[in-house]
Amino acid sequence: MAGPMRTVSFKIPVDLDIELSRVARERGESRSAVVRSALSALRGDLRPSVTDLASDLMGLVDGPVDLSTNDAYLADLGK
């Protein structure tokens, strides 16, 4: 994470503290890194999916629900 860091103190229940340590150990990261990742995800810093970006366009066109489920739609793919 770029930029200067601040030290922050907060209280969490014992079970969350144990879980935080477990996740950090599994990821090979510090507890602080896990908290930063979780807060970034909660805040929405993660890039939105294509589905999220195109959600206002979904349902505007009539057609098959999923072209990949019908071999007839794939017959001339790549030709």
Side-chain angles (χ1 to χ4, degrees):
M1 186 168 268
M5 300 279 188
R6 287 187 176 179
T7 300
V8 178
S9 177
F10 56 91
K11 295 180 182 183
I12 59 173
V14 172
D15 59 329
L16 285 181
D17 185 48
I18 292 168
E19 183 69 9
L20 175 60
S21 294
R22 184 189 65 75
V23 170
R25 192 171 43 255
E26 285 179 1
R27 291 183 175 189
E29 297 177 346
S30 68
R31 291 164 41 102
S32 294
V34 172
V35 171
R36 283 192 298 270
S37 294
L39 287 173
S40 291
L42 183 63
R43 192 175 74 173
D45 283 354
L46 300 180
R47 293 175 66 182
S49 69
V50 172
T51 304
D52 292 337
L53 294 172
S55 63
D56 59 327
L57 303 174
M58 291 181 194
L60 293 177
V61 178
D62 289 330
V65 177
D66 185 356
L67 296 176
S68 67
T69 61
N70 187 332
D71 290 337
Y73 295 117
L74 301 174
D76 62 347
L77 182 67
K79 293 182 182 177

